[in-house]
Amino acid sequence: MSKNNIDDAKLEVKNFLINANRPYSCQDVANNFQNKYNKSLIQKSLDLLVEQNDVTEKLNGKQKIYFISQTNTDFNDLLY
């Protein structure tokens, strides 16, 4: 895997989570990208985003869920 491929996947996963604004498991994110990125690349992207505090990870039983970190969001911009 090239670094460029990981960076591209990380950016697309982050944008997906921002636009969706709801929690997803790694499998759900991988299903959304279908054949564009494999599951291991999605998992690495999510792990990097968690390290950068862009994404929050919660353990739900045995499954981890990921959602965009709400601390970086300005909710005044989101009001209608």
Side-chain angles (χ1 to χ4, degrees):
M1 276 181 269
S2 69
K3 182 169 172 39
N4 218 6
N5 200 9
I6 292 173
D7 290 339
D8 292 343
K10 188 172 70 168
L11 181 64
E12 287 195 46
V13 167
K14 182 179 177 182
N15 287 334
F16 169 72
L17 291 173
I18 288 171
N19 291 332
N21 198 23
R22 61 172 289 238
Y24 282 100
S25 67
C26 179
Q27 184 64 44
D28 292 336
V29 175
N31 287 342
N32 184 14
F33 287 105
Q34 296 174 356
N35 295 328
K36 188 169 186 179
Y37 301 115
N38 61 19
K39 187 178 174 187
S40 64
L41 185 61
I42 298 289
Q43 184 64 58
K44 287 179 185 178
S45 300
L46 286 168
D47 290 341
L48 289 172
L49 288 168
V50 167
E51 286 178 17
Q52 296 172 351
N53 293 325
D54 290 334
V55 171
T56 303
E57 172 186 83
K58 295 280 183 172
L59 189 61
N60 186 15
K62 293 181 180 179
Q63 185 178 31
K64 292 180 181 179
I65 57 170
Y66 301 90
F67 51 92
I68 200 70
S69 179
Q70 301 295 312
T71 58
N72 299 332
T73 305
D74 186 11
F75 291 103
N76 291 330
D77 293 342
L78 300 176
L79 295 177
Y80 297 26

